[in-house]
Amino acid sequence: MSQYILTVSCMSTRGIVAAISGYLAEKGCNIIDSSQFDDLQNTKFFMRVTFVSEDGATQAEIREGFEKVAKQFEMSFELVDASRPMKVILMVSRFGHCLNDLLYRWRIGALPIDIVGVVSNHHDYQKQVVNHDIPFHHITVTKANKPQAEARLMEVVEQSGAELVVLARYMQILSDALCQKMSGRIINIHHSFLPSFKGANPYKQAYERGVKLIGATAHYVTADLDEGPIIEQDTVRITHAQSAEDYVSLGRDVEAQVLARAIHAHIHHRTFINGNRTVVFPASPGSYASERMG
Ligand SMILES: Nc1nc2c(c(=O)[nH]1)N[C@@H](CN(C=O)c1ccc(C(=O)N[C@@H](CCC(=O)O)C(=O)O)cc1)CN2
């Protein structure tokens, strides 16, 4: 029996949950997981429902019928097949620890995505990517050719059908136009606990500030560098005896883990952009179960 995920956002009002659950029940669907959030600051409402269709109603039939409920509450909604892996492009520059981590998680089934390509402005990881039978696209980026480089990137995105682009330590600033075009579909890992230490060389900035914690932040990419809605963060303790170079080593694991958690949330449709913040619902039961042991 297929599992579906329905995500809804709209202005908050009475009766939304009843309307959604009543519609699904009437359609012969059984809700197996549900999360909702009512933002009392801006009266926005967010809901994520996982359900199975028990009487044979197809995804198209369920979606068509839901349009009426959506219109009644002026909802934005998505209805997806929970088993269909999201098409994802990974982007990397010189530091490959996040790319390596994502490739490993993908290989063992812990990250159920369809990696449709890896893009880099360097050749460092080409062999490794090709060995995974994943298309590798080298796109040279210079200050002079950024528009052409981004046009090529968009070609790769469109031709591959990518639904998400992950900047796995890709170190080029994307144009406002590209950020707008791909709003909500690009995730970056920044190697600091934002909002501290935005931009380049955050570990150097942290060392010079004498912090006792360094960290990593996964966020949606916007035109404002490292200021997009935060999806996931974590930290690791450091001491006075460690150097900025030590921070690079200590930061690798936390960067990779934070990025993987953020991608897991996004591909399972648990994230909702709410202004400059992100609503992140908890993982559904069994959503980590795809991992092939061994
Ligand atoms: N429009 C955006 N683009 C990017 C974002 C973002 O939030 N908005 N995040 C960055 C990642 N990043 C830090 O996490 C970052 C990357 C690069 C730079 C930077 O100064 N790059 C220089 C070139 C550096 C080089 O050639 O090695 C530049 O682009 O001029 C700062 C922060 C990814 N892009």
Side-chain angles (χ1 to χ4, degrees):
M1 219 179 296
S2 295
Q3 273 193 23
Y4 299 105
I5 298 172
L6 172 66
T7 54
V8 166
S9 58
C10 60
M11 295 312 289
S12 178
T13 186
R14 195 169 56 238
I16 298 173
V17 177
I20 292 172
S21 55
Y23 169 76
L24 291 174
E26 175 230 320
K27 266 299 190 194
C29 298
N30 181 31
I31 293 174
I32 57 177
D33 182 66
S34 180
S35 297
Q36 68 190 66
F37 171 61
D38 216 321
D39 186 334
L40 304 179
Q41 302 300 316
N42 61 14
T43 68
K44 285 194 177 173
F45 176 85
F46 305 88
M47 188 169 188
R48 176 186 184 273
V49 180
T50 305
F51 63 90
V52 291
S53 173
E54 295 180 332
D55 295 351
T58 65
Q59 183 177 350
E61 289 164 344
I62 297 167
R63 175 186 281 107
E64 188 182 348
F66 190 74
E67 291 286 359
K68 189 177 172 193
V69 177
K71 190 172 181 183
Q72 179 190 349
F73 292 95
E74 295 181 8
M75 292 170 177
S76 299
F77 78 94
E78 257 195 337
L79 175 63
V80 298
D81 181 336
S83 65
R84 184 184 69 80
M86 191 175 284
K87 296 183 187 299
V88 181
I89 280 178
L90 307 178
M91 297 184 71
V92 65
S93 290
R94 275 278 151 87
F95 291 90
H97 52 288
C98 292
L99 173 70
N100 285 330
D101 179 78
L102 293 174
L103 289 175
Y104 173 73
R105 292 174 193 266
W106 166 75
R107 207 165 56 236
I108 65 170
L111 208 54
I113 55 178
D114 176 6
I115 302 177
V116 293
V118 173
V119 171
S120 181
N121 53 330
H122 297 282
H123 288 283
D124 302 45
Y125 305 100
Q126 177 163 6
K127 193 180 289 185
Q128 181 185 3
V129 169
V130 170
N131 286 344
H132 280 77
D133 294 326
I134 297 171
F136 179 86
H137 307 274
H138 177 255
I139 302 179
T140 302
V141 182
T142 64
K143 289 216 184 305
N145 87 331
K146 279 212 173 184
Q148 291 81 358
E150 290 196 346
R152 176 63 189 132
L153 171 61
M154 281 315 297
E155 261 180 28
V156 173
V157 168
E158 283 151 14
Q159 288 167 6
S160 65
E163 300 160 87
L164 174 66
V165 172
V166 175
L167 307 185
R169 292 300 301 278
Y170 179 74
M171 300 309 282
Q172 292 297 320
I173 296 174
L174 304 181
S175 69
D176 296 10
L178 179 56
C179 294
Q180 188 58 42
K181 189 179 176 79
M182 296 284 290
S183 179
R185 295 199 294 149
I186 306 177
I187 293 175
N188 176 59
I189 184 68
H190 181 70
H191 40 309
S192 86
F193 192 74
L194 289 174
S196 299
F197 314 133
K198 295 172 192 161
N201 305 314
Y203 288 140
K204 181 171 179 291
Q205 295 179 57
Y207 177 78
E208 286 165 357
R209 181 63 189 79
V211 299
K212 298 303 177 187
L213 285 171
I214 56 171
T217 302
H219 63 91
Y220 286 109
V221 168
T222 62
D224 300 320
L225 188 62
D226 301 327
E227 297 208 3
I230 291 172
I231 306 165
E232 174 65 347
Q233 294 186 289
D234 210 335
T235 61
V236 59
R237 299 201 69 82
I238 48 105
T239 74
H240 61 279
Q242 285 152 338
S243 67
E245 290 70 28
D246 294 326
Y247 297 1
V248 172
S249 306
L250 291 161
R252 283 194 198 104
D253 291 345
V254 69
E255 290 171 42
Q257 193 164 53
V258 164
L259 181 56
R261 286 184 207 145
I263 296 170
H264 192 275
H266 182 91
I267 63 169
H268 288 293
H269 307 275
R270 294 193 279 117
T271 61
F272 298 74
I273 294 177
N274 179 20
N276 71 337
R277 314 157 73 84
T278 311
V279 173
V280 184
F281 285 135
S284 302
S287 64
Y288 291 101
S290 58
E291 186 165 345
R292 288 186 291 278
M293 303 315 288

